[in-house]
Each structure stands twice: as C-alpha cells, then as structure tokens.
PDB file of all heavy atoms in Angstrom:
ATOM      1  N   HIS A   1      -1.574  -3.141  27.453  1.00 98.00           N
ATOM      2  CA  HIS A   1      -2.108  -1.838  27.050  1.00 98.00           C
ATOM      3  C   HIS A   1      -2.896  -1.988  25.755  1.00 98.00           C
ATOM      4  O   HIS A   1      -2.350  -2.472  24.748  1.00 98.00           O
ATOM      5  CB  HIS A   1      -0.982  -0.822  26.853  1.00 98.00           C
ATOM      6  CG  HIS A   1      -0.308  -0.417  28.121  1.00 98.00           C
ATOM      7  ND1 HIS A   1       0.741  -1.145  28.687  1.00 98.00           N
ATOM      8  CD2 HIS A   1      -0.516   0.639  28.959  1.00 98.00           C
ATOM      9  CE1 HIS A   1       1.133  -0.553  29.800  1.00 98.00           C
ATOM     10  NE2 HIS A   1       0.391   0.525  29.989  1.00 98.00           N
ATOM     11  N   PHE A   2      -4.156  -1.592  25.776  1.00 98.00           N
ATOM     12  CA  PHE A   2      -4.979  -1.573  24.567  1.00 98.00           C
ATOM     13  C   PHE A   2      -4.571  -0.355  23.755  1.00 98.00           C
ATOM     14  O   PHE A   2      -4.804   0.784  24.152  1.00 98.00           O
ATOM     15  CB  PHE A   2      -6.459  -1.523  24.948  1.00 98.00           C
ATOM     16  CG  PHE A   2      -7.389  -1.215  23.809  1.00 98.00           C
ATOM     17  CD1 PHE A   2      -7.271  -1.852  22.585  1.00 98.00           C
ATOM     18  CD2 PHE A   2      -8.396  -0.272  23.969  1.00 98.00           C
ATOM     19  CE1 PHE A   2      -8.130  -1.560  21.535  1.00 98.00           C
ATOM     20  CE2 PHE A   2      -9.270   0.031  22.936  1.00 98.00           C
ATOM     21  CZ  PHE A   2      -9.132  -0.612  21.711  1.00 98.00           C
ATOM     22  N   LEU A   3      -3.964  -0.594  22.607  1.00 98.00           N
ATOM     23  CA  LEU A   3      -3.426   0.486  21.786  1.00 98.00           C
ATOM     24  C   LEU A   3      -4.479   1.093  20.872  1.00 98.00           C
ATOM     25  O   LEU A   3      -4.368   2.264  20.487  1.00 98.00           O
ATOM     26  CB  LEU A   3      -2.257  -0.032  20.951  1.00 98.00           C
ATOM     27  CG  LEU A   3      -1.099  -0.655  21.734  1.00 98.00           C
ATOM     28  CD1 LEU A   3      -0.060  -1.221  20.774  1.00 98.00           C
ATOM     29  CD2 LEU A   3      -0.468   0.366  22.666  1.00 98.00           C
ATOM     30  N   GLY A   4      -5.480   0.321  20.518  1.00 97.00           N
ATOM     31  CA  GLY A   4      -6.518   0.784  19.609  1.00 97.00           C
ATOM     32  C   GLY A   4      -7.053  -0.377  18.796  1.00 97.00           C
ATOM     33  O   GLY A   4      -6.505  -1.485  18.817  1.00 97.00           O
ATOM     34  N   GLY A   5      -8.136  -0.120  18.091  1.00 97.00           N
ATOM     35  CA  GLY A   5      -8.747  -1.189  17.313  1.00 97.00           C
ATOM     36  C   GLY A   5      -9.594  -0.641  16.194  1.00 97.00           C
ATOM     37  O   GLY A   5      -9.826   0.568  16.105  1.00 97.00           O
ATOM     38  N   ILE A   6     -10.053  -1.530  15.331  1.00 97.00           N
ATOM     39  CA  ILE A   6     -10.883  -1.128  14.192  1.00 97.00           C
ATOM     40  C   ILE A   6     -12.196  -1.886  14.213  1.00 97.00           C
ATOM     41  O   ILE A   6     -12.305  -2.963  14.804  1.00 97.00           O
ATOM     42  CB  ILE A   6     -10.158  -1.353  12.844  1.00 97.00           C
ATOM     43  CG1 ILE A   6      -9.800  -2.834  12.667  1.00 97.00           C
ATOM     44  CG2 ILE A   6      -8.914  -0.477  12.743  1.00 97.00           C
ATOM     45  CD1 ILE A   6      -9.199  -3.148  11.302  1.00 97.00           C
ATOM     46  N   ILE A   7     -13.189  -1.298  13.564  1.00 97.00           N
ATOM     47  CA  ILE A   7     -14.512  -1.896  13.419  1.00 97.00           C
ATOM     48  C   ILE A   7     -14.855  -1.885  11.938  1.00 97.00           C
ATOM     49  O   ILE A   7     -14.669  -0.876  11.262  1.00 97.00           O
ATOM     50  CB  ILE A   7     -15.586  -1.117  14.201  1.00 97.00           C
ATOM     51  CG1 ILE A   7     -15.195  -0.963  15.677  1.00 97.00           C
ATOM     52  CG2 ILE A   7     -16.951  -1.803  14.076  1.00 97.00           C
ATOM     53  CD1 ILE A   7     -16.114  -0.028  16.459  1.00 97.00           C
ATOM     54  N   LEU A   8     -15.348  -3.011  11.443  1.00 95.00           N
ATOM     55  CA  LEU A   8     -15.818  -3.066  10.064  1.00 95.00           C
ATOM     56  C   LEU A   8     -17.052  -3.955   9.991  1.00 95.00           C
ATOM     57  O   LEU A   8     -17.326  -4.721  10.926  1.00 95.00           O
ATOM     58  CB  LEU A   8     -14.725  -3.565   9.117  1.00 95.00           C
ATOM     59  CG  LEU A   8     -14.173  -4.974   9.265  1.00 95.00           C
ATOM     60  CD1 LEU A   8     -13.599  -5.446   7.930  1.00 95.00           C
ATOM     61  CD2 LEU A   8     -13.053  -5.012  10.310  1.00 95.00           C
ATOM     62  N   PRO A   9     -17.812  -3.858   8.922  1.00 93.00           N
ATOM     63  CA  PRO A   9     -19.038  -4.662   8.836  1.00 93.00           C
ATOM     64  C   PRO A   9     -18.738  -6.154   8.736  1.00 93.00           C
ATOM     65  O   PRO A   9     -17.719  -6.561   8.164  1.00 93.00           O
ATOM     66  CB  PRO A   9     -19.697  -4.163   7.538  1.00 93.00           C
ATOM     67  CG  PRO A   9     -19.010  -2.883   7.200  1.00 93.00           C
ATOM     68  CD  PRO A   9     -17.639  -2.972   7.770  1.00 93.00           C
ATOM     69  N   GLY A  10     -19.630  -6.953   9.293  1.00 90.00           N
ATOM     70  CA  GLY A  10     -19.560  -8.384   9.080  1.00 90.00           C
ATOM     71  C   GLY A  10     -20.051  -8.744   7.686  1.00 90.00           C
ATOM     72  O   GLY A  10     -20.516  -7.889   6.930  1.00 90.00           O
ATOM     73  N   HIS A  11     -19.975 -10.044   7.353  1.00 86.00           N
ATOM     74  CA  HIS A  11     -20.375 -10.500   6.023  1.00 86.00           C
ATOM     75  C   HIS A  11     -21.789 -10.038   5.659  1.00 86.00           C
ATOM     76  O   HIS A  11     -22.024  -9.540   4.556  1.00 86.00           O
ATOM     77  CB  HIS A  11     -20.320 -12.034   5.962  1.00 86.00           C
ATOM     78  CG  HIS A  11     -18.935 -12.584   5.850  1.00 86.00           C
ATOM     79  ND1 HIS A  11     -18.184 -12.917   6.953  1.00 86.00           N
ATOM     80  CD2 HIS A  11     -18.178 -12.876   4.770  1.00 86.00           C
ATOM     81  CE1 HIS A  11     -17.016 -13.386   6.558  1.00 86.00           C
ATOM     82  NE2 HIS A  11     -16.979 -13.374   5.238  1.00 86.00           N
ATOM     83  N   GLY A  12     -22.729 -10.238   6.572  1.00 85.00           N
ATOM     84  CA  GLY A  12     -24.127  -9.934   6.272  1.00 85.00           C
ATOM     85  C   GLY A  12     -24.359  -8.467   5.990  1.00 85.00           C
ATOM     86  O   GLY A  12     -25.091  -8.105   5.058  1.00 85.00           O
ATOM     87  N   ILE A  13     -23.756  -7.589   6.812  1.00 89.00           N
ATOM     88  CA  ILE A  13     -23.935  -6.150   6.611  1.00 89.00           C
ATOM     89  C   ILE A  13     -23.320  -5.715   5.286  1.00 89.00           C
ATOM     90  O   ILE A  13     -23.893  -4.909   4.550  1.00 89.00           O
ATOM     91  CB  ILE A  13     -23.319  -5.365   7.779  1.00 89.00           C
ATOM     92  CG1 ILE A  13     -24.082  -5.669   9.075  1.00 89.00           C
ATOM     93  CG2 ILE A  13     -23.340  -3.870   7.505  1.00 89.00           C
ATOM     94  CD1 ILE A  13     -23.503  -4.996  10.299  1.00 89.00           C
ATOM     95  N   MET A  14     -22.146  -6.251   4.974  1.00 86.00           N
ATOM     96  CA  MET A  14     -21.517  -5.905   3.694  1.00 86.00           C
ATOM     97  C   MET A  14     -22.429  -6.271   2.525  1.00 86.00           C
ATOM     98  O   MET A  14     -22.634  -5.472   1.599  1.00 86.00           O
ATOM     99  CB  MET A  14     -20.188  -6.636   3.543  1.00 86.00           C
ATOM    100  CG  MET A  14     -19.065  -6.156   4.424  1.00 86.00           C
ATOM    101  SD  MET A  14     -17.516  -6.969   3.957  1.00 86.00           S
ATOM    102  CE  MET A  14     -16.538  -6.725   5.435  1.00 86.00           C
ATOM    103  N   LEU A  15     -22.972  -7.475   2.578  1.00 83.00           N
ATOM    104  CA  LEU A  15     -23.813  -7.934   1.472  1.00 83.00           C
ATOM    105  C   LEU A  15     -25.082  -7.098   1.355  1.00 83.00           C
ATOM    106  O   LEU A  15     -25.467  -6.685   0.260  1.00 83.00           O
ATOM    107  CB  LEU A  15     -24.167  -9.408   1.657  1.00 83.00           C
ATOM    108  CG  LEU A  15     -25.009 -10.053   0.552  1.00 83.00           C
ATOM    109  CD1 LEU A  15     -24.309  -9.947  -0.797  1.00 83.00           C
ATOM    110  CD2 LEU A  15     -25.303 -11.515   0.890  1.00 83.00           C
ATOM    111  N   ARG A  16     -25.728  -6.825   2.497  1.00 82.00           N
ATOM    112  CA  ARG A  16     -26.961  -6.032   2.459  1.00 82.00           C
ATOM    113  C   ARG A  16     -26.698  -4.610   1.977  1.00 82.00           C
ATOM    114  O   ARG A  16     -27.523  -4.017   1.269  1.00 82.00           O
ATOM    115  CB  ARG A  16     -27.621  -6.022   3.842  1.00 82.00           C
ATOM    116  CG  ARG A  16     -28.233  -7.363   4.229  1.00 82.00           C
ATOM    117  CD  ARG A  16     -29.132  -7.236   5.442  1.00 82.00           C
ATOM    118  NE  ARG A  16     -28.413  -6.860   6.639  1.00 82.00           N
ATOM    119  CZ  ARG A  16     -27.820  -7.717   7.463  1.00 82.00           C
ATOM    120  NH1 ARG A  16     -27.847  -9.021   7.183  1.00 82.00           N
ATOM    121  NH2 ARG A  16     -27.208  -7.304   8.553  1.00 82.00           N
ATOM    122  N   ALA A  17     -25.559  -4.044   2.361  1.00 84.00           N
ATOM    123  CA  ALA A  17     -25.221  -2.696   1.905  1.00 84.00           C
ATOM    124  C   ALA A  17     -25.058  -2.659   0.390  1.00 84.00           C
ATOM    125  O   ALA A  17     -25.537  -1.738  -0.279  1.00 84.00           O
ATOM    126  CB  ALA A  17     -23.946  -2.219   2.589  1.00 84.00           C
ATOM    127  N   LEU A  18     -24.400  -3.665  -0.167  1.00 82.00           N
ATOM    128  CA  LEU A  18     -24.218  -3.713  -1.611  1.00 82.00           C
ATOM    129  C   LEU A  18     -25.542  -3.957  -2.331  1.00 82.00           C
ATOM    130  O   LEU A  18     -25.824  -3.375  -3.384  1.00 82.00           O
ATOM    131  CB  LEU A  18     -23.207  -4.805  -1.973  1.00 82.00           C
ATOM    132  CG  LEU A  18     -21.740  -4.455  -1.699  1.00 82.00           C
ATOM    133  CD1 LEU A  18     -20.868  -5.694  -1.791  1.00 82.00           C
ATOM    134  CD2 LEU A  18     -21.262  -3.387  -2.669  1.00 82.00           C
ATOM    135  N   GLU A  19     -26.367  -4.819  -1.755  1.00 77.00           N
ATOM    136  CA  GLU A  19     -27.663  -5.106  -2.385  1.00 77.00           C
ATOM    137  C   GLU A  19     -28.559  -3.874  -2.398  1.00 77.00           C
ATOM    138  O   GLU A  19     -29.277  -3.620  -3.368  1.00 77.00           O
ATOM    139  CB  GLU A  19     -28.358  -6.249  -1.645  1.00 77.00           C
ATOM    140  CG  GLU A  19     -27.729  -7.619  -1.904  1.00 77.00           C
ATOM    141  CD  GLU A  19     -28.454  -8.727  -1.163  1.00 77.00           C
ATOM    142  OE1 GLU A  19     -29.185  -8.414  -0.194  1.00 77.00           O
ATOM    143  OE2 GLU A  19     -28.297  -9.896  -1.538  1.00 77.00           O
ATOM    144  N   SER A  20     -28.531  -3.103  -1.305  1.00 77.00           N
ATOM    145  CA  SER A  20     -29.409  -1.935  -1.225  1.00 77.00           C
ATOM    146  C   SER A  20     -28.878  -0.754  -2.041  1.00 77.00           C
ATOM    147  O   SER A  20     -29.651   0.105  -2.470  1.00 77.00           O
ATOM    148  CB  SER A  20     -29.596  -1.509   0.233  1.00 77.00           C
ATOM    149  OG  SER A  20     -28.370  -1.086   0.798  1.00 77.00           O
ATOM    150  N   GLY A  21     -27.573  -0.717  -2.250  1.00 73.00           N
ATOM    151  CA  GLY A  21     -27.001   0.432  -2.923  1.00 73.00           C
ATOM    152  C   GLY A  21     -26.644   0.218  -4.377  1.00 73.00           C
ATOM    153  O   GLY A  21     -26.249   1.164  -5.063  1.00 73.00           O
ATOM    154  N   THR A  22     -26.783  -1.018  -4.838  1.00 71.00           N
ATOM    155  CA  THR A  22     -26.382  -1.329  -6.208  1.00 71.00           C
ATOM    156  C   THR A  22     -27.455  -2.178  -6.877  1.00 71.00           C
ATOM    157  O   THR A  22     -27.854  -3.210  -6.339  1.00 71.00           O
ATOM    158  CB  THR A  22     -25.048  -2.102  -6.222  1.00 71.00           C
ATOM    159  OG1 THR A  22     -24.086  -1.375  -5.449  1.00 71.00           O
ATOM    160  CG2 THR A  22     -24.534  -2.277  -7.633  1.00 71.00           C
ATOM    161  N   ALA A  23     -27.901  -1.776  -8.033  1.00 64.00           N
ATOM    162  CA  ALA A  23     -28.932  -2.533  -8.745  1.00 64.00           C
ATOM    163  C   ALA A  23     -28.364  -3.849  -9.258  1.00 64.00           C
ATOM    164  O   ALA A  23     -27.217  -3.943  -9.658  1.00 64.00           O
ATOM    165  CB  ALA A  23     -29.447  -1.715  -9.931  1.00 64.00           C
ATOM    166  N   GLY A  24     -29.192  -4.883  -9.206  1.00 61.00           N
ATOM    167  CA  GLY A  24     -28.829  -6.153  -9.825  1.00 61.00           C
ATOM    168  C   GLY A  24     -27.938  -7.053  -9.006  1.00 61.00           C
ATOM    169  O   GLY A  24     -27.393  -8.026  -9.528  1.00 61.00           O
ATOM    170  N   LEU A  25     -27.777  -6.769  -7.686  1.00 68.00           N
ATOM    171  CA  LEU A  25     -26.893  -7.602  -6.867  1.00 68.00           C
ATOM    172  C   LEU A  25     -27.659  -8.518  -5.912  1.00 68.00           C
ATOM    173  O   LEU A  25     -27.093  -8.988  -4.936  1.00 68.00           O
ATOM    174  CB  LEU A  25     -25.919  -6.728  -6.072  1.00 68.00           C
ATOM    175  CG  LEU A  25     -24.777  -6.121  -6.882  1.00 68.00           C
ATOM    176  CD1 LEU A  25     -23.816  -5.387  -5.959  1.00 68.00           C
ATOM    177  CD2 LEU A  25     -24.019  -7.185  -7.666  1.00 68.00           C
ATOM    178  N   HIS A  26     -28.919  -8.769  -6.174  1.00 72.00           N
ATOM    179  CA  HIS A  26     -29.693  -9.690  -5.347  1.00 72.00           C
ATOM    180  C   HIS A  26     -29.436 -11.104  -5.852  1.00 72.00           C
ATOM    181  O   HIS A  26     -30.187 -11.653  -6.658  1.00 72.00           O
ATOM    182  CB  HIS A  26     -31.181  -9.339  -5.400  1.00 72.00           C
ATOM    183  CG  HIS A  26     -31.495  -7.993  -4.821  1.00 72.00           C
ATOM    184  ND1 HIS A  26     -31.704  -7.787  -3.477  1.00 72.00           N
ATOM    185  CD2 HIS A  26     -31.597  -6.770  -5.407  1.00 72.00           C
ATOM    186  CE1 HIS A  26     -31.947  -6.502  -3.253  1.00 72.00           C
ATOM    187  NE2 HIS A  26     -31.886  -5.861  -4.424  1.00 72.00           N
ATOM    188  N   VAL A  27     -28.364 -11.690  -5.372  1.00 70.00           N
ATOM    189  CA  VAL A  27     -27.916 -12.998  -5.863  1.00 70.00           C
ATOM    190  C   VAL A  27     -27.721 -13.937  -4.679  1.00 70.00           C
ATOM    191  O   VAL A  27     -27.576 -13.502  -3.534  1.00 70.00           O
ATOM    192  CB  VAL A  27     -26.597 -12.863  -6.645  1.00 70.00           C
ATOM    193  CG1 VAL A  27     -26.798 -12.019  -7.896  1.00 70.00           C
ATOM    194  CG2 VAL A  27     -25.504 -12.268  -5.775  1.00 70.00           C
ATOM    195  N   PRO A  28     -27.699 -15.248  -4.912  1.00 76.00           N
ATOM    196  CA  PRO A  28     -27.467 -16.203  -3.822  1.00 76.00           C
ATOM    197  C   PRO A  28     -26.063 -16.057  -3.242  1.00 76.00           C
ATOM    198  O   PRO A  28     -25.160 -15.512  -3.883  1.00 76.00           O
ATOM    199  CB  PRO A  28     -27.626 -17.570  -4.513  1.00 76.00           C
ATOM    200  CG  PRO A  28     -28.336 -17.300  -5.793  1.00 76.00           C
ATOM    201  CD  PRO A  28     -27.956 -15.902  -6.198  1.00 76.00           C
ATOM    202  N   THR A  29     -25.890 -16.555  -2.022  1.00 80.00           N
ATOM    203  CA  THR A  29     -24.576 -16.568  -1.406  1.00 80.00           C
ATOM    204  C   THR A  29     -23.634 -17.439  -2.216  1.00 80.00           C
ATOM    205  O   THR A  29     -23.983 -18.549  -2.620  1.00 80.00           O
ATOM    206  CB  THR A  29     -24.656 -17.098   0.031  1.00 80.00           C
ATOM    207  OG1 THR A  29     -25.546 -16.275   0.777  1.00 80.00           O
ATOM    208  CG2 THR A  29     -23.286 -17.091   0.692  1.00 80.00           C
ATOM    209  N   GLY A  30     -22.451 -16.944  -2.448  1.00 88.00           N
ATOM    210  CA  GLY A  30     -21.476 -17.682  -3.240  1.00 88.00           C
ATOM    211  C   GLY A  30     -20.404 -18.330  -2.397  1.00 88.00           C
ATOM    212  O   GLY A  30     -20.539 -18.482  -1.180  1.00 88.00           O
ATOM    213  N   ASP A  31     -19.328 -18.702  -3.046  1.00 92.00           N
ATOM    214  CA  ASP A  31     -18.183 -19.327  -2.392  1.00 92.00           C
ATOM    215  C   ASP A  31     -16.983 -18.394  -2.463  1.00 92.00           C
ATOM    216  O   ASP A  31     -16.919 -17.485  -3.291  1.00 92.00           O
ATOM    217  CB  ASP A  31     -17.831 -20.651  -3.082  1.00 92.00           C
ATOM    218  CG  ASP A  31     -18.950 -21.678  -2.977  1.00 92.00           C
ATOM    219  OD1 ASP A  31     -19.520 -21.803  -1.869  1.00 92.00           O
ATOM    220  OD2 ASP A  31     -19.254 -22.335  -3.984  1.00 92.00           O
ATOM    221  N   VAL A  32     -16.021 -18.636  -1.574  1.00 94.00           N
ATOM    222  CA  VAL A  32     -14.779 -17.870  -1.607  1.00 94.00           C
ATOM    223  C   VAL A  32     -13.855 -18.505  -2.637  1.00 94.00           C
ATOM    224  O   VAL A  32     -13.538 -19.698  -2.564  1.00 94.00           O
ATOM    225  CB  VAL A  32     -14.108 -17.844  -0.226  1.00 94.00           C
ATOM    226  CG1 VAL A  32     -12.793 -17.069  -0.280  1.00 94.00           C
ATOM    227  CG2 VAL A  32     -15.034 -17.225   0.812  1.00 94.00           C
ATOM    228  N   ARG A  33     -13.442 -17.725  -3.609  1.00 95.00           N
ATOM    229  CA  ARG A  33     -12.581 -18.205  -4.688  1.00 95.00           C
ATOM    230  C   ARG A  33     -11.371 -17.284  -4.825  1.00 95.00           C
ATOM    231  O   ARG A  33     -11.488 -16.073  -4.615  1.00 95.00           O
ATOM    232  CB  ARG A  33     -13.335 -18.206  -6.026  1.00 95.00           C
ATOM    233  CG  ARG A  33     -14.647 -18.968  -6.028  1.00 95.00           C
ATOM    234  CD  ARG A  33     -14.427 -20.451  -6.027  1.00 95.00           C
ATOM    235  NE  ARG A  33     -15.692 -21.171  -6.225  1.00 95.00           N
ATOM    236  CZ  ARG A  33     -15.803 -22.496  -6.108  1.00 95.00           C
ATOM    237  NH1 ARG A  33     -14.751 -23.213  -5.790  1.00 95.00           N
ATOM    238  NH2 ARG A  33     -16.977 -23.084  -6.290  1.00 95.00           N
ATOM    239  N   PRO A  34     -10.224 -17.817  -5.197  1.00 95.00           N
ATOM    240  CA  PRO A  34      -9.063 -16.954  -5.437  1.00 95.00           C
ATOM    241  C   PRO A  34      -9.324 -15.932  -6.532  1.00 95.00           C
ATOM    242  O   PRO A  34      -8.880 -14.783  -6.448  1.00 95.00           O
ATOM    243  CB  PRO A  34      -7.964 -17.939  -5.838  1.00 95.00           C
ATOM    244  CG  PRO A  34      -8.395 -19.267  -5.321  1.00 95.00           C
ATOM    245  CD  PRO A  34      -9.891 -19.248  -5.357  1.00 95.00           C
ATOM    246  N   PHE A  35     -10.045 -16.340  -7.572  1.00 97.00           N
ATOM    247  CA  PHE A  35     -10.356 -15.465  -8.690  1.00 97.00           C
ATOM    248  C   PHE A  35     -11.829 -15.658  -9.061  1.00 97.00           C
ATOM    249  O   PHE A  35     -12.155 -16.433  -9.958  1.00 97.00           O
ATOM    250  CB  PHE A  35      -9.454 -15.775  -9.888  1.00 97.00           C
ATOM    251  CG  PHE A  35      -7.988 -15.711  -9.569  1.00 97.00           C
ATOM    252  CD1 PHE A  35      -7.261 -16.872  -9.364  1.00 97.00           C
ATOM    253  CD2 PHE A  35      -7.346 -14.487  -9.432  1.00 97.00           C
ATOM    254  CE1 PHE A  35      -5.908 -16.817  -9.051  1.00 97.00           C
ATOM    255  CE2 PHE A  35      -5.991 -14.424  -9.130  1.00 97.00           C
ATOM    256  CZ  PHE A  35      -5.267 -15.585  -8.933  1.00 97.00           C
ATOM    257  N   PRO A  36     -12.731 -14.970  -8.363  1.00 96.00           N
ATOM    258  CA  PRO A  36     -14.166 -15.173  -8.598  1.00 96.00           C
ATOM    259  C   PRO A  36     -14.567 -14.806 -10.029  1.00 96.00           C
ATOM    260  O   PRO A  36     -14.118 -13.795 -10.575  1.00 96.00           O
ATOM    261  CB  PRO A  36     -14.822 -14.230  -7.588  1.00 96.00           C
ATOM    262  CG  PRO A  36     -13.782 -14.015  -6.531  1.00 96.00           C
ATOM    263  CD  PRO A  36     -12.484 -14.025  -7.260  1.00 96.00           C
ATOM    264  N   THR A  37     -15.438 -15.638 -10.615  1.00 96.00           N
ATOM    265  CA  THR A  37     -15.873 -15.409 -11.999  1.00 96.00           C
ATOM    266  C   THR A  37     -17.387 -15.291 -12.105  1.00 96.00           C
ATOM    267  O   THR A  37     -17.941 -15.417 -13.196  1.00 96.00           O
ATOM    268  CB  THR A  37     -15.366 -16.538 -12.914  1.00 96.00           C
ATOM    269  OG1 THR A  37     -15.805 -17.805 -12.396  1.00 96.00           O
ATOM    270  CG2 THR A  37     -13.846 -16.523 -13.019  1.00 96.00           C
ATOM    271  N   ASN A  38     -18.069 -15.094 -10.953  1.00 92.00           N
ATOM    272  CA  ASN A  38     -19.501 -14.785 -10.986  1.00 92.00           C
ATOM    273  C   ASN A  38     -19.797 -13.862  -9.818  1.00 92.00           C
ATOM    274  O   ASN A  38     -19.003 -13.728  -8.885  1.00 92.00           O
ATOM    275  CB  ASN A  38     -20.361 -16.055 -10.951  1.00 92.00           C
ATOM    276  CG  ASN A  38     -20.158 -16.854  -9.677  1.00 92.00           C
ATOM    277  OD1 ASN A  38     -20.548 -16.431  -8.596  1.00 92.00           O
ATOM    278  ND2 ASN A  38     -19.512 -18.021  -9.800  1.00 92.00           N
TER     279      ASN A  38
END
C-alpha cells in the first residue's frame, strides 16, 4: 500500500532558487562539510 510521499527540490533547483532570490550567492559549487565555513 502506497501510504504517501513527499516532493522537494533537487540540488540544482535549490541552488538556483537561492541564487535568484538572494543577492551575492553566485558562487562555485562547494563540498559537503560537517561544519561549512564558506
């Protein structure tokens, strides 16, 4: 029985949404870090 599910943006959509909605976030792709410092 399919009980239900969720939909969320993929990596690319998340990044583009932040870039378009926030000034100064046009930056290169970074790395996954436990405690990001950039």
Side-chain angles (χ1 to χ4, degrees):
H1 291 85
F2 168 46
L3 303 176
I6 60 175
I7 306 172
L8 64 155
H11 284 91
I13 295 177
M14 289 188 200
L15 182 58
R16 289 193 295 273
L18 284 167
E19 287 181 341
S20 64
T22 308
L25 285 185
H26 296 275
V27 296
T29 302
D31 297 317
V32 179
R33 306 286 188 188
F35 305 102
T37 55
N38 62 69

